[in-house]
């Protein structure tokens, strides 16, 4: 297959939130109907490539008969969809997707979401910013939840575009024109310039609560039933690979990394991840392979149960 996120009150809120959300799902959907699935592809991919998202869509439909699967197309054509994965402002993409989901009648009783590579953090932004319709489970495959500091490998035919992106990132990832128009710059996280990242990142620093706490982001993310993060053990695209589980480089250097539990994000519970962890809403899976490389059997065994 081609290469294509204290205390008693918080715990009480989390338990109550789950009960209320579950009640809402049960009352508004025919219990015989499977929960729909929304898919967001990664960099250089498209909604309907038969070797990637098209394959995943058919596999889910095969394993869960009668399910509705929406593979997001960002643009009016497949070509636009692929180009927008490089050049359309991420905040605009998230807003567009929120509108698509809000208008889709088949999703109004809730849906599960699967984000592949950068589509993972983009769908997390949807969960945090757009709670209606309700996202039930979020599954991210190789998502860069703490960003990247490097672009070591690019998918297939997009390599020439990635060479240009590297040059732009090196010239000034946090300059306004690049932040506004280069997708990968919007989740570029420079551990040597943490203050610059916090102040100038227009997407990742916002959804990771780096500049302040947006309580609605936290409350909305905590409504998830499960937040599943898949890390690829031999990933040659995501740098550092720890970002796939919310880890990253320690500030001031680019060798040693910290884990989610060692992060300020977790210790101060800025996103509710600590509270979610305590009630076992977080799931950490490992796939043995390079970026987005897994077998059909692995997917059926490890992922399909979250979609049923």
């Amino acid at each position: 297959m081609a290469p294509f996120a204290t205390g008693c009150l918080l715990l009480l809120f989390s338990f109550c939130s789950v009960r209320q959300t579950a009640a809402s799902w049960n009352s508004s959907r025919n219990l015989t109907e499977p929960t729909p699935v929304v898919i967001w592809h990664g960099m250089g991919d498209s909604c309907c490539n038969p070797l990637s998202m098209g394959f995943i869509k058919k596999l889910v439909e095969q394993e869960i008969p009668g399910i509705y699967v929406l593979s997001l197309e960002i643009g009016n054509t497949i070509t636009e969809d692929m180009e927008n994965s490089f050049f359309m402002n991420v905040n605009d993409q998230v807003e567009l997707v929120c509108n698509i989901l809000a208008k889709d009648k088949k999703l109004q009783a809730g849906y599960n979401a699967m984000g592949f590579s950068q589509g993972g953090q983009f769908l997390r932004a949807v969960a945090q910013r757009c709670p209606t319709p309700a996202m039930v489970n979020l599954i991210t495959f190789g998502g860069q939840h703490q960003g990247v500091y490097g672009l070591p490998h690019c998918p297939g035919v997009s390599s020439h575009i990635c060479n240009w992106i590297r040059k732009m990132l090196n010239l000034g990832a946090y300059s306004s024109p690049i932040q506004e128009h280069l997708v990968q710059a919007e989740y570029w996280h420079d551990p040597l310039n943490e203050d610059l990242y916090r102040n100038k990142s227009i997407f990742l620093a916002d959804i990771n609560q780096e500049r302040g706490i947006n309580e609605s982001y936290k409350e909305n993310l905590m409504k998830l039933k499960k937040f599943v993060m898949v890390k690829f053990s031999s990933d040659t695209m995501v740098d550092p690979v720890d970002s796939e589980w919310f880890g990253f480089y320690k500030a001031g250097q680019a060798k040693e990394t910290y884990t989610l539990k060692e992060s300020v994000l977790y210790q101060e519970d800025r996103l509710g991840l600590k509270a979610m962890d305590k009630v076992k809403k977080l799931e950490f899976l490992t796939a043995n392979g390079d970026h987005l490389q897994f077998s059909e059997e692995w997917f059926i065994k490890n992922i399909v149960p979250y979609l049923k």
Side-chain angles (χ1 to χ4, degrees):
M1 195 168 71
F4 303 9
T6 51
C8 294
L9 287 176
L10 279 176
L11 288 173
L12 179 60
F13 170 82
S14 182
F15 280 120
C16 292
S17 168
V18 171
R19 279 182 130 182
Q20 292 168 350
T21 307
S24 173
W25 300 328
N26 290 339
S27 63
S28 54
R29 170 181 288 114
N30 184 330
L31 294 181
T32 63
E33 296 178 3
T35 303
V37 172
V38 173
I39 299 172
W40 198 335
H41 63 78
M43 175 179 71
D45 198 2
S46 69
C47 65
C48 312
N49 186 321
L51 296 178
S52 58
M53 297 302 99
F55 174 84
I56 293 295
K57 182 176 185 292
K58 287 185 177 180
L59 181 56
V60 172
E61 292 169 339
Q62 169 190 305
E63 293 300 312
I64 310 176
I67 195 170
Y68 172 59
V69 181
L70 172 63
S71 187
L72 293 165
E73 182 177 20
I74 312 300
N76 297 317
T77 66
I78 298 298
T79 300
E80 276 188 22
D81 191 17
M82 187 192 76
E83 290 175 347
N84 285 335
S85 74
F86 293 107
F87 304 120
M88 182 178 177
N89 185 295
V90 179
N91 293 309
D92 293 341
Q93 292 193 50
V94 171
E95 183 178 5
L96 173 65
V97 167
C98 287
N99 289 332
I100 291 172
L101 302 185
K103 293 175 182 177
D104 193 325
K105 294 181 179 179
K106 296 180 180 180
L107 302 177
Q108 299 314 300
Y111 64 95
N112 291 316
M114 295 195 297
F116 293 80
S117 196
Q118 67 183 22
Q121 59 264 34
F122 297 172
L123 276 172
R124 174 162 66 86
V126 171
Q128 293 175 207
R129 293 175 178 176
C130 306
T132 305
M135 188 183 294
V136 183
N137 294 325
L138 171 60
I139 307 169
T140 64
F141 299 80
Q144 301 94 47
H145 291 291
Q146 283 282 14
V148 296
Y149 185 56
L151 205 65
H153 176 63
C154 280
V157 296
S158 305
S159 59
H160 64 288
I161 299 177
C162 290
N163 288 334
W164 181 84
I165 289 173
R166 287 190 188 93
K167 291 180 181 179
M168 294 301 101
L169 292 173
N170 288 332
L171 282 174
Y174 299 116
S175 65
S176 182
I178 293 178
Q179 278 289 305
E180 291 288 344
H181 301 290
L182 184 57
V183 167
Q184 289 67 40
E186 295 176 55
Y187 56 88
W188 185 259
H189 185 168
D190 188 344
L192 306 180
N193 293 282
E194 287 283 353
D195 287 340
L196 185 63
Y197 154 69
R198 287 191 198 93
N199 293 325
K200 298 296 184 180
S201 170
I202 66 172
F203 174 70
L204 188 69
D206 176 68
I207 66 166
N208 281 1
Q209 309 271 50
E210 299 280 10
R211 290 189 288 266
I213 305 300
N214 182 328
E215 290 297 338
S216 68
Y217 283 7
K218 184 174 180 177
E219 292 170 6
N220 291 337
L221 191 65
M222 289 175 66
K223 291 176 183 177
L224 289 173
K225 183 178 179 181
K226 288 287 185 181
F227 182 3
V228 183
M229 289 162 270
V230 179
K231 180 169 75 172
F232 293 87
S233 60
S234 302
D235 203 314
T236 60
M237 182 179 289
V238 177
D239 182 13
V241 68
D242 307 70
S243 185
E244 297 174 9
W245 282 358
F246 272 97
F248 202 68
Y249 290 120
K250 295 179 180 178
Q253 48 84 59
K255 291 185 179 180
E256 296 183 9
T257 59
Y258 57 78
T259 66
L260 167 62
K261 289 188 176 182
E262 294 170 332
S263 69
V264 173
L265 182 70
Y266 185 92
Q267 292 175 357
E268 295 184 358
D269 212 13
R270 294 180 177 179
L271 267 181
L273 294 174
K274 186 175 183 179
M276 292 174 74
D277 194 21
K278 287 183 177 179
V279 294
K280 302 187 184 305
K281 286 190 174 188
L282 302 185
E283 302 278 355
F284 301 90
L285 304 183
T286 301
N288 296 320
D290 202 347
H291 193 64
L292 303 188
Q293 297 297 299
F294 51 83
S295 68
E296 182 176 330
E297 293 73 22
W298 182 92
F299 183 88
I300 292 171
K301 178 182 177 181
N302 293 281
I303 302 302
V304 169
Y306 292 106
L307 306 178
K308 290 185 173 179

